[in-house]
């Protein structure tokens, strides 16, 4: 079960991935659950993104809320 902060982080990541703070505790928990991933870009930057499971989780929660 996701905490409210973890779910909010998923939503923020879906809507504004470039605005994510790289040192959020919620991101570590979501990474452990394989709901997000950290991509290494060609520019050397890293970017958080949703995995397919993370996207499915958001869709399922929105469907039932």
């Amino acid at each position: 079960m996701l905490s409210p902060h973890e779910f909010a982080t998923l939503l923020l990541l879906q809507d504004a991935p470039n605005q994510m703070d790289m040192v959020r505790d919620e991101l570590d928990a979501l990474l452990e659950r394989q709901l997000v991933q950290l991509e290494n870009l060609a520019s050397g930057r890293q970017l958080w993104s949703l995995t397919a499971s993370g996207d499915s989780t958001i869709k399922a929660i929105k469907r039932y809320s």
Side-chain angles (χ1 to χ4, degrees), residues 23-45:
V23 290
R24 296 183 68 132
D25 291 335
E26 291 83 6
L27 286 170
D28 289 337
L30 295 171
L31 183 63
E32 192 173 298
R33 290 185 173 109
Q34 299 180 346
L35 298 174
V36 300
Q37 61 188 359
L38 189 56
E39 297 181 43
N40 293 313
L41 303 177
S43 66
R45 288 188 40 215

Side-chain angles (χ1 to χ4, degrees), residues 2-27:
L2 296 176
S3 74
H5 290 280
E6 291 166 348
F7 182 64
T9 301
L10 269 182
L11 289 174
L12 180 59
L13 185 57
Q14 180 186 41
D15 293 337
N18 294 328
Q19 296 181 11
M20 292 302 299
D21 181 7
M22 296 295 280
V23 290
R24 296 183 68 132
D25 291 335
E26 291 83 6
L27 286 170

